[in-house]
Amino acid sequence: MSEAAPRRLRQLGEISVGQLRLVGAKRLEALASLGIETVFDLLTVYPRRYIDRTRRAELADLSVGEEAAIFATVTANSSRRTRQGKSMVEVLVSDGDEAMKIAFFNQPWRGAQLAPGIQAIFFGKVSDFRGQRQMANPVVDIIVGPSGEERDASRVGFIVPIYPASGKAGLTSWEMGGFIEQSLRRAGPLLDPVPQEVLDELGLVSRTDSFWGIHLPSTMEYIIEARRRLVFDEFLRLQLLLALRRRRLVATAAGVQHPIADDDLSVSPGALVNPDSRLVRQFLAGHRFTLTGAQQRVLGEIAADLRSPLPMHRLLQGDVGSGKTVVALTALLAAIDGGRQGALMAPTEVLAEQHVASIRRDLEGLVVRDEAVLGGVRPLRIQLLTGRIKGKERTSALAALADGGIDIVIGTHALLTDDVRFAALGIVVIDEQHRFGVEQRAQLRDKGRAHSLEGRDPDLLVMTATPIPRTAAMVVFGDLDRSVLDELPRGRQAIATSWARTAQAEQAAWQRVREEVAAGKRAYVICPLVEGSEKIEASSAVEERTRLATQELRGLSVGLLHGQMKSGEKDAVMDEFRRGEIQVLVATVVIEVGVDVPEATVIVIEDAWRFGLAQLHQLRGRVGRGHDPSYCVLLGEPSTPDGATRLEALVSSSDGFALAEIDLDLRGEGTLLGSRQRGQSDLRLANLRRDESTLQQARSVALSLVELDGLASRPDLVDELKLFVDEEEADYLFKS
Ligand code: ADP
Ligand code: MG
């Protein structure tokens, strides 16, 4: 590494850690096992904590059971053998005020290593030994030698960073810190790609200072500033990628302007219509209910997108039961009003079929203009298209899609497979697909255009009932516009949720099931989640059904639904349940999303703590869909404190967004983000809860930089982003 121009991060990403002093084959391998291959990787391994050597009360603060790193001076040591014949070295350490014993077993050399006078960091768990605090076999980093010479004077500041690698892979925190410091020194000043005005305005420190400040801070206060800048950069890169992607979509768009008037959205049931009225108006005027304020607002947002020549790219978020379907139908009808077709994709075939049945009911009686038929009008046609539609039926469905004889097609995301052609696909609605990543969404648009003979981009509406906190949404759905249904239809019954912790309470739960069934209602029983094995999960559901049918629920008609059943079997069971021939449905988590049986009023969830909070909320949403009071009973004794917190949260709140925030706190963002989305793996320091305001700032900076000229005048930023995307994507995003 030479001391020339300020260095770019991408250059550091091209330098192997093997080039560092003291990194030989063995260290190289150890670092690689931690995923550290380049100097950039190394610099983004951040300290897990810091020890402030200016603070003297370390030892006094420690409590038993705590994992801690203490900085202390050895005052005495002795070696002996335990009764079992193990070697034991006992070291007495002091931080000036307090003393503590540290024991090393089977490490006889510690006696010579840890001579009195040595100052070191001891990292381990504090235990209780005969009423006294002690540590056994901690990780040791020697900082100051026995005669007072510092191990590396230049490196021993008052604040000592502790790196996560300690103990693992045979790399101590001290070594890690050494490599990092060496990298920083040899790299010299780092190029700052963020415009100085932005840094000034937001009060952010320079890039060089941020890396030095996080790794080699001179004060604890400075760490906060350094961290804030690094977090800003992580968010900025991610938001730039999202904004660029969006800009690309817009630049290459060939969208459709759908005819939809605000006038037609504000009609109430019973409003006047005539045969010339648009379908949207006829539908809303003839519907069972008046839209909620939230539904009207959201439809206004969607209508503006639909009218615009740019394809809609919108996320509709609404809690379970908030009424997303009617919004989706209105949007689909707007496309049909313009002479085009719509596609609705559900996550499973069962849900697709359920949608077909209920949507046919909802749209009954509507007619569309069609020159090809006698009289010029025909009934609006809705077609199911899943893997189960085969042979002649499929052939004729495909033909009708290609010549425009089908208006709405409903299926799974396999809908846009090779053999499906639309005459003119105007809109795609994706229901309950929060697991779709940003790339899949982009792909979908390309496919939509490719499969439409008209060759235009369909508008896209993604719907999800999984409440995602606003910050997380900015990261996960940052490429989409967002609408939120934040109001439930009136008259909705709250779902009384309880956690049955005693045998008595559990019996009461089964009694509740019997009572509801006796009153003509239906019940779900959800079997425990078996992580990683759908087979075991299914067989335990089979057993549970038998048990319940012969014991607690004897005499009732108890059905079974699990993931290993064929889709035909599943549908048959769902139909029987809907009709009431099955009164109690024992199911695995396959019913998590969307299943809608208004007569179901009780759901019993076994071993509830095994489920995530969002999932529990979804499951609970299977009941309370009609007009009758509904119940959710949670069973099981959690084996983790988090499990108990989840159940308590569910009992005390029915607000999906509040629960999502709690979930984010409990699980961290990792589970939400996964590694699916580019740039997200870059979020190492950032914490969505804690750093919300920094995220907002980064997002608005990213949007304005990209809006200006697509980063054409910011080659340094473009260069840096290349660290996080592959070549193909870089070509796509950065070509001018
Ligand atoms: P989700 O958002 O969970 O998909 P749905 O669209 O399935 O919700 O709606 C849930 C239930 O609420 C359905 O039975 C639907 O008919 C009813 N519903 C939706 N909107 C309204 C409204 N504005 N007034 C009364 N009932 C409504
Ligand atoms: Mg729904």
Side-chain angles (χ1 to χ4, degrees):
M1 291 186 243
S2 73
E3 305 288 326
R7 232 173 258 275
R8 299 163 179 278
L9 285 195
R10 196 152 74 94
Q11 292 173 296
L12 299 180
E14 284 159 3
I15 302 171
S16 160
V17 284
Q19 295 198 22
L20 295 170
R21 259 178 282 119
L22 304 178
V23 177
K26 204 174 128 229
R27 292 276 172 273
L28 199 60
E29 199 179 308
L31 287 165
S33 77
L34 298 168
I36 302 166
E37 288 175 355
T38 70
V39 169
F40 172 73
D41 295 337
L42 192 58
L43 291 182
T44 51
V45 172
Y46 299 111
R48 177 157 66 178
R49 71 188 85 202
Y50 300 86
I51 294 180
D52 185 353
R53 294 170 65 201
T54 59
R55 254 185 85 222
R56 276 296 165 189
E58 295 278 357
L59 286 179
D61 290 348
L62 292 182
S63 44
V64 170
E66 188 182 351
E67 205 178 54
I70 55 165
F71 180 75
T73 306
V74 176
T75 53
N77 86 40
S78 63
S79 302
R80 60 185 173 89
R81 294 213 160 260
T82 65
R83 252 174 290 163
Q84 292 81 26
K86 280 202 254 177
S87 93
M88 174 165 126
V89 176
E90 260 184 344
V91 176
L92 199 64
V93 303
S94 158
D95 67 357
D97 295 333
E98 293 260 333
M100 183 170 81
K101 229 181 237 173
I102 296 182
F104 294 93
F105 298 96
N106 289 330
Q107 302 176 28
W109 45 276
R110 291 289 189 190
Q113 183 200 30
L114 296 172
I118 292 255
Q119 295 177 31
I121 292 166
F122 301 91
F123 180 73
K125 196 164 183 167
V126 182
S127 56
D128 175 87
F129 185 70
R130 297 191 180 140
Q132 304 238 301
R133 287 169 307 172
Q134 75 156 33
M135 265 188 196
N137 291 349
V139 175
V140 179
D141 263 354
I142 295 179
I143 304 291
V144 181
S147 47
E149 88 283 8
E150 306 218 314
R151 179 166 162 180
D152 176 348
S154 67
R155 272 195 58 200
V156 186
F158 285 108
I159 296 170
V160 182
I162 304 294
Y163 289 94
S166 307
K168 275 189 228 149
L171 279 170
T172 64
S173 167
W174 176 261
E175 273 179 304
M176 198 72 144
F179 298 147
I180 288 172
E181 182 179 357
Q182 192 193 140
S183 304
L184 280 176
R185 288 194 191 287
R186 291 173 66 187
L190 302 173
L191 182 108
D192 203 325
V194 176
Q196 188 62 43
E197 314 88 77
V198 172
L199 298 181
D200 289 345
E201 193 191 320
L202 300 176
L204 292 167
V205 302
S206 75
R207 165 157 296 171
T208 310
D209 287 352
S210 71
F211 277 102
W212 281 82
I214 199 106
H215 290 298
L216 298 157
S218 48
T219 65
M220 292 303 266
E221 289 71 39
Y222 200 75
I223 299 169
I224 297 169
E225 290 308 309
R227 183 181 175 281
R228 190 160 73 87
R229 170 64 206 269
L230 290 164
V231 166
F232 176 83
D233 285 0
E234 289 181 354
F235 281 140
L236 181 68
R237 289 189 285 256
L238 176 61
Q239 294 299 328
L240 283 172
L241 288 173
L242 288 166
L244 283 168
R245 183 177 278 287
R246 198 185 163 109
R247 186 182 162 91
R248 270 281 138 209
L249 284 181
V250 168
T252 58
V256 174
Q257 282 177 276
H258 300 278
I260 181 167
D262 286 333
D263 270 1
D264 290 339
L265 294 178
S266 52
V267 300
S268 296
L272 280 184
V273 290
N274 60 52
D276 288 333
S277 303
R278 291 204 176 123
L279 290 173
V280 166
R281 187 182 186 90
Q282 295 192 30
F283 169 60
L284 293 175
H287 205 45
R288 308 191 291 285
F289 47 73
T290 311
L291 298 180
T292 63
Q295 283 168 327
Q296 289 191 10
R297 190 194 66 238
V298 161
L299 267 176
E301 292 162 6
I302 290 173
D305 283 358
L306 289 174
R307 279 192 294 266
S308 137
L310 290 176
M312 170 164 71
H313 208 55
R314 186 171 288 275
L315 173 71
L316 172 57
Q317 254 186 299
D319 210 341
V320 179
S322 59
K324 294 184 290 297
T325 314
V326 65
V327 173
L329 287 181
T330 308
L332 286 162
L333 289 174
I336 300 169
D337 272 326
R340 296 193 171 76
Q341 300 154 296
L344 174 65
M345 302 187 190
T348 66
E349 299 198 340
V350 174
L351 285 173
E353 297 194 9
Q354 188 179 303
H355 268 315
V356 169
S358 71
I359 290 174
R360 280 206 176 118
R361 236 177 294 133
D362 279 343
L363 301 186
E364 210 181 325
L366 293 181
V367 296
V368 295
R369 249 177 276 275
D370 188 342
E371 305 303 328
V373 299
L374 207 60
V377 293
R378 59 164 174 78
L380 184 141
R381 189 163 162 208
I382 298 164
Q383 174 69 44
L384 176 73
L385 198 67
T386 61
R388 290 185 41 232
I389 308 290
K390 294 200 180 100
K392 264 226 229 64
E393 194 184 355
R394 186 176 182 88
T395 316
S396 79
L398 290 179
L401 269 178
D403 72 16
I406 287 171
D407 304 293
I408 296 176
V409 64
I410 300 177
T412 64
H413 63 260
L415 242 184
L416 292 182
T417 50
D418 290 337
D419 59 345
V420 180
R421 288 286 173 282
F422 294 82
L425 180 59
I427 181 169
V428 175
V429 178
I430 305 180
D431 194 17
E432 310 289 5
Q433 269 299 17
H434 59 284
R435 292 185 179 102
F436 256 43
V438 60
E439 275 114 26
Q440 281 138 309
R441 289 195 288 273
Q443 255 177 25
L444 204 73
R445 193 203 73 163
D446 292 346
K447 277 196 175 167
R449 187 198 291 194
H451 287 246
S452 174
L453 299 170
E454 188 189 25
R456 291 183 166 273
D457 296 320
D459 286 53
L460 180 65
L461 182 65
V462 179
M463 307 199 293
T464 176
T466 304
I468 298 164
R470 206 160 44 100
T471 49
M474 271 192 261
V475 170
V476 183
F477 294 114
D479 61 324
L480 299 173
D481 295 310
R482 205 162 88 104
S483 292
V484 182
L485 281 177
D486 49 8
E487 180 188 347
L488 291 184
R490 252 182 308 160
R492 198 53 61 78
Q493 299 279 344
I495 302 164
T497 304
S498 59
W499 175 10
R501 306 186 72 161
T502 62
Q504 235 171 341
E506 193 174 324
Q507 284 314 310
W510 300 123
Q511 184 55 33
R512 166 78 71 192
V513 170
R514 295 179 146 283
E515 283 163 16
E516 289 295 307
V517 168
K521 306 294 167 22
R522 258 144 267 168
Y524 297 104
V525 177
I526 307 301
C527 293
L529 188 70
V530 181
E531 209 84 59
S533 174
E534 223 176 273
K535 254 208 184 108
I536 300 178
E537 193 168 271
S539 71
S540 80
V542 172
E543 277 170 33
E544 184 62 3
R545 184 254 190 135
T546 308
R547 191 184 71 83
L548 288 171
T550 52
Q551 298 178 27
E552 280 89 347
L553 303 179
R554 196 164 59 200
L556 305 188
S557 157
V558 183
L560 177 69
L561 191 73
H562 61 69
Q564 299 274 292
M565 288 162 59
K566 298 216 176 63
S567 61
E569 294 174 285
K570 284 190 213 164
D571 296 341
V573 168
M574 278 315 295
D575 282 345
E576 286 172 49
F577 185 61
R578 213 167 276 130
R579 289 196 300 263
E581 288 152 27
I582 290 174
Q583 298 166 311
V584 179
L585 188 59
V586 175
T588 58
V589 73
V590 291
I591 69 148
E592 180 191 349
V593 282
V595 168
D596 188 16
V597 179
E599 294 81 8
T601 52
V602 200
I603 184 165
V604 178
I605 306 175
E606 300 184 357
D607 273 1
W609 59 276
R610 290 184 190 274
F611 296 97
L613 197 44
Q615 208 171 19
L616 285 170
H617 182 62
Q618 282 287 332
L619 286 168
R620 176 168 61 179
R622 295 313 105 213
V623 299
R625 302 179 78 83
H627 297 290
D628 303 302
S630 294
Y631 308 90
C632 170
V633 187
L634 310 170
L635 301 184
E637 203 45 46
S639 66
T640 64
D642 277 5
T645 309
R646 286 200 292 274
L647 299 194
E648 280 156 8
L650 201 74
V651 168
S652 63
S653 175
S654 58
D655 176 348
F657 278 86
L659 292 172
E661 300 274 353
I662 296 173
D663 210 23
L664 191 57
D665 271 353
L666 286 177
R667 300 196 299 171
E669 41 255 33
T671 44
L672 249 182
L673 303 180
S675 56
R676 214 169 286 114
Q677 200 156 318
R678 301 212 186 273
Q680 282 178 6
S681 52
D682 184 26
L683 297 185
R684 287 165 165 265
L685 273 178
N687 173 307
L688 293 180
R689 293 279 268 157
R690 195 167 136 191
D691 300 315
E692 176 168 359
S693 60
T694 309
L695 172 55
Q696 302 268 21
Q697 290 169 342
R699 183 169 171 85
S700 76
V701 170
L703 291 177
S704 61
L705 286 175
V706 169
E707 192 182 338
L708 194 67
D709 60 0
L711 294 193
S713 63
R714 298 282 165 198
D716 295 339
L717 276 174
V718 170
D719 184 72
E720 181 156 322
L721 292 176
K722 287 183 177 160
L723 256 172
F724 302 95
V725 295
D726 59 30
E727 230 166 274
E728 191 187 338
E729 194 174 15
D731 276 353
Y732 171 71
L733 289 178
F734 306 129
K735 77 181 159 213
S736 44

